[in-house]
């Protein structure tokens, strides 16, 4: 018994040491989290886009059904925004408290985040269900595409709490250094979704309703997995009922830090709404369908950069809390260089092989013909987006929520939305004006965010060494 107890103590100590991001090389620490988190992001992309891939190949109604799903994306994005608000807001605070040795505070942060995810998820589901008819028409639905969007949403909204839990609380698994477990969270659900989608859509002939049902069943299993881990013995810091008692001071801190990710998701949803409505006006259902494909492709090609940024954040937060500022700088440099190199490679692939990416989602000749030039225009200079990712993740990881919030708003709300409304009216640009707004925002927003980070955070880190 003594020997077994001693072994357990050694094993527990080794596990905790393995999650100490102040030891070992920065690149190894980041990659140890980023690789499984990137794989998780890849699988999560499958979660998000596999419905569109299958639906885009339904015989006879593929384009209309795909467009209908595209109209539902803003609501799904808004739900994701609230998961980011409390999940991505709580996780960096959790990591900083853990790095500073404040275990009880870290536990309370996790519990309050979970409680807020449940409360906001319930309210969101009810509001979206009641107002989905006017919302979908506001987002650019037509009488042809509305039935598809409505059929998908009325089932998807039933699983809102599952989505909130799996997305939001998985951040706390990753923040404890269990990147592989975090990857399994989305892997289990995504694989199940891949299997259930063709079964419900094609075998049971449920169409878009089958896709929605497959998604919520999969998210349910993922959320069970997350909660089972966080309340179990393997977690370094456990989720308990006691730590879920709401504390206004903690909620304010969580919300303040999560506001950047929240605003980024909300503005992404707003951009989707404005783009769809404007494209409906200038190009009709076909161009709303093209934008659905483009949004899906963007999710795929930004996934590794997002995974790297997510992997770097716990490392930055931990070392910042431990006052290891040189290691924070190394993490920023590593993340930035990787992001730029990858997005340059992605840009080349998208420019030379646009048809391959469009074919993943739809084979309609009309959509292909109009989609190729639209895709090349939309993704022009996408490598500049890497600077936004690098700056934004640094601000968030180090608790600089005012900067993070501002640059979330700056690129989307201040640049993209006005340009999306204005450019189509200039020189007959029409739909091209909508697609041109994105690359302009990548250049302006990326430069502004990264330069500000270098002049504020980086300079301060140098001065404190």
């Amino acid at each position: 018994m003594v020997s077994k107890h001693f072994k357990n103590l050694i094993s527990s100590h080794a596990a905790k040491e393995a999650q100490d991001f102040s030891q070992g090389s920065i690149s190894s620490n980041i990659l140890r989290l980023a690789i499984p988190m990137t794989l998780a992001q890849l699988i999560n992309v499958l979660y998000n886009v596999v419905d569109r891939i299958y639906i885009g190949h339904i015989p006879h109604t593929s384009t209309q059904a795909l467009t209908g799903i595209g109209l539902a994306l803003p609501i799904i994005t808004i739900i994701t925004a609230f998961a980011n608000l409390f999940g991505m807001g709580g996780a960096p605070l959790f990591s900083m408290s853990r790095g500073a040795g404040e275990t009880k505070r870290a536990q309370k942060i996790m519990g309050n985040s979970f409680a807020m995810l449940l409360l906001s998820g319930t309210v969101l589901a009810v509001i979206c269900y009641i107002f989905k008819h006017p919302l979908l028409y506001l987002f650019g639905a037509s009488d042809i595409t509305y039935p598809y969007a409505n059929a998908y949403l009325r089932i998807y909204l039933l699983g809102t709490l599952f989505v909130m839990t799996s997305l939001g609380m998985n951040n706390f698994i990753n923040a404890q250094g269990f990147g592989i477990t975090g990857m399994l969270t989305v892997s289990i659900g995504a694989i199940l979704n891949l299997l259930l989608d063709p079964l419900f859509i094609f075998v049971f002939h449920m169409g878009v309703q089958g896709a929605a049902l497959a998604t919520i069943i999969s998210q349910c299993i993922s959320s069970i997995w997350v909660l089972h881990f966080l309340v179990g013995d393997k977690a370094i810091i456990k989720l308990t009922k006691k730590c879920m008692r709401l504390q206004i001071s903690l909620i304010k801190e969580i919300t303040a830090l999560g506001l950047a990710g929240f605003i980024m998701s909300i503005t992404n949803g707003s951009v989707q709404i404005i783009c769809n409505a404007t494209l409906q006006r200038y190009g009709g259902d076909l161009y709303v369908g093209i934008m659905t494909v483009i949004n899906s492709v963007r999710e795929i090609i930004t996934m590794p950069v997002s995974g790297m940024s997510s992997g770097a954040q716990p490392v930055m937060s931990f070392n910042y809390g431990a006052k290891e500022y040189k290691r924070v700088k190394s993490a920023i440099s590593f993340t930035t260089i990787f992001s730029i190199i990858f997005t340059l490679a992605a840009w080349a692939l998208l420019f030379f092989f646009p048809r391959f990416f469009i074919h993943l989602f739809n084979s309609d000749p009309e959509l292909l013909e109009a989609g190729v030039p639209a895709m090349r225009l939309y993704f022009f200079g996408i490598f500049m987006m890497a600077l936004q990712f690098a700056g934004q993740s640094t601000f968030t990881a180090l608790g600089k929520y005012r900067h993070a919030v501002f640059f979330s708003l700056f690129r989307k709300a201040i640049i993209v939305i006005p340009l999306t409304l204005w450019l189509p009216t200039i020189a007959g640009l029409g739909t091209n004006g909508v697609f041109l707004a994105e690359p302009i925002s990548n250049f302006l927003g990326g430069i502004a965010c990264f330069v500000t980070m270098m002049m504020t955070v980086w300079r301060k880190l140098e001065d404190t060494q």
Side-chain angles (χ1 to χ4, degrees):
M1 287 293 291
V2 173
S3 176
K4 184 177 180 181
H5 179 66
F6 182 70
K7 286 180 180 179
N8 288 337
L9 284 175
I10 297 247
S11 175
S12 175
H13 177 72
K16 291 181 181 180
E17 284 295 312
Q19 319 310 324
D20 185 351
F21 300 130
S22 66
Q23 304 298 318
S25 74
I26 283 294
S27 58
S28 296
N29 276 322
I30 292 176
L31 289 173
R32 182 161 53 87
L33 284 180
I35 290 174
M37 287 173 76
T38 300
L39 291 174
Q41 292 276 0
L42 173 60
I43 298 163
N44 194 41
V45 165
L46 292 177
Y47 233 142
N48 295 330
V49 305
V50 71
D51 291 348
R52 290 167 242 169
I53 292 173
Y54 283 122
I55 288 169
H57 292 90
I58 294 176
H60 311 302
T61 61
S62 59
T63 301
Q64 294 91 337
L66 182 64
T67 301
I69 297 299
L71 294 168
L73 288 181
I75 291 178
I76 295 171
T77 302
I78 290 169
I79 292 172
T80 303
F82 279 89
N84 289 341
L85 178 62
F86 302 113
M88 293 179 67
L93 282 176
F94 175 90
S95 290
M96 283 186 275
S97 295
R98 200 168 71 84
E102 300 173 351
T103 303
K104 289 186 178 180
R105 172 178 162 81
Q107 188 176 41
K108 289 178 181 178
I109 289 168
M110 178 167 60
N112 274 245
S113 296
F114 181 54
M116 291 307 297
L117 284 167
L118 295 180
L119 288 172
S120 60
T122 302
V123 173
L124 270 176
V126 172
I127 291 175
C128 290
Y129 196 87
I130 292 172
F131 296 104
K132 68 181 185 302
H133 183 275
L135 284 174
L136 288 172
Y137 274 97
L138 177 67
F139 297 169
S142 67
D143 290 340
I144 295 174
T145 56
Y146 173 78
Y148 297 100
N150 180 58
Y152 186 86
L153 264 184
R154 68 185 180 191
I155 294 178
Y156 181 90
L157 290 173
L158 296 176
T160 301
L161 288 182
F162 303 141
V163 176
M164 298 287 284
T165 301
S166 60
L167 287 180
M169 294 308 293
N170 201 39
N171 290 290
F172 292 93
I173 294 179
N174 291 323
Q176 296 187 51
F178 296 99
I180 293 176
T181 304
M183 178 187 72
L184 289 173
T185 298
V186 290
S187 300
I188 293 168
I191 292 170
L192 186 58
N193 195 34
L194 279 168
L195 296 174
L196 292 179
D197 258 331
L199 180 67
F200 290 161
I201 294 171
F202 299 111
V203 178
F204 296 157
H205 304 290
M206 295 177 67
V208 294
Q209 295 180 77
L213 183 59
T215 297
I216 66 169
I217 291 174
S218 304
Q219 290 283 15
C220 176
I221 300 301
S222 292
S223 63
I224 291 171
W225 168 271
V226 169
L227 294 178
H228 180 265
F229 180 86
L230 289 176
V231 301
D233 293 334
K234 291 183 179 180
I236 295 173
I237 298 177
K238 295 181 183 179
L239 177 66
T240 64
K241 289 183 179 179
K242 185 178 179 181
C243 72
M244 290 172 59
R245 292 175 184 171
L246 295 179
Q247 294 184 14
I248 300 302
S249 59
L250 283 183
I251 293 172
K252 286 181 178 178
E253 288 185 66
I254 293 166
T255 305
L257 194 53
L259 204 56
F262 175 77
I263 290 174
M264 184 172 285
S265 294
I266 286 291
T267 50
N268 280 339
S270 301
V271 168
Q272 289 170 354
I273 293 167
I274 298 298
C275 285
N276 285 344
T278 307
L279 288 170
Q280 180 65 248
R281 177 182 176 185
Y282 288 94
D285 289 340
L286 174 66
Y287 279 87
V288 177
I290 290 171
M291 182 55 79
T292 302
V293 172
I294 286 176
N295 282 329
S296 302
V297 172
R298 186 184 62 191
E299 289 182 44
I300 294 172
I301 58 102
T302 59
M303 169 271 303
V305 180
S306 178
M308 180 60 69
S309 299
S310 298
Q313 281 186 27
V315 178
M316 290 184 198
S317 298
F318 188 99
N319 282 287
Y320 190 70
K323 302 186 186 304
E324 295 284 348
Y325 300 126
K326 186 176 180 180
R327 294 175 65 81
V328 176
K329 285 176 58 183
S330 297
I332 295 170
S333 299
F334 182 78
T335 305
T336 303
I337 292 169
F338 172 87
S339 299
I340 291 173
I341 292 172
F342 180 84
T343 47
L344 278 169
W347 184 24
L349 286 174
L350 290 165
F351 183 82
F352 290 109
F353 307 105
R355 286 181 175 270
F356 168 79
F357 290 97
I358 297 173
H359 262 298
L360 288 174
F361 299 93
N362 197 270
S363 300
D364 186 333
E366 189 179 5
L367 190 146
L368 275 168
E369 184 179 352
V372 168
M375 181 171 287
R376 284 177 172 157
L377 187 59
Y378 183 90
F379 288 110
F380 178 79
I382 193 175
F383 67 92
M384 294 299 295
M385 182 199 64
L387 299 181
Q388 177 85 21
F389 268 94
Q392 196 77 38
S393 62
T394 301
F395 288 136
T396 301
L398 272 55
K400 311 295 183 183
Y401 64 89
R402 289 188 179 88
H403 292 82
V405 168
F406 173 77
F407 286 108
S408 291
L409 281 170
F410 181 70
R411 192 172 82 85
K412 293 292 186 180
I414 298 176
I415 301 176
V416 175
I417 291 177
L419 287 179
T420 299
L421 295 170
W422 178 56
L423 288 177
T425 66
I426 297 177
L429 282 175
T431 56
N432 284 337
V434 176
F435 300 120
L436 187 60
E438 183 69 14
I440 292 174
S441 76
N442 284 335
F443 276 86
L444 296 179
I447 291 171
C449 182
F450 191 77
V451 169
T452 302
M453 185 273 291
M454 292 296 294
M455 293 179 67
T456 55
V457 172
W458 185 274
R459 184 173 293 177
K460 185 177 179 180
L461 291 172
E462 284 187 333
D463 293 341
T464 52
Q465 286 183 27

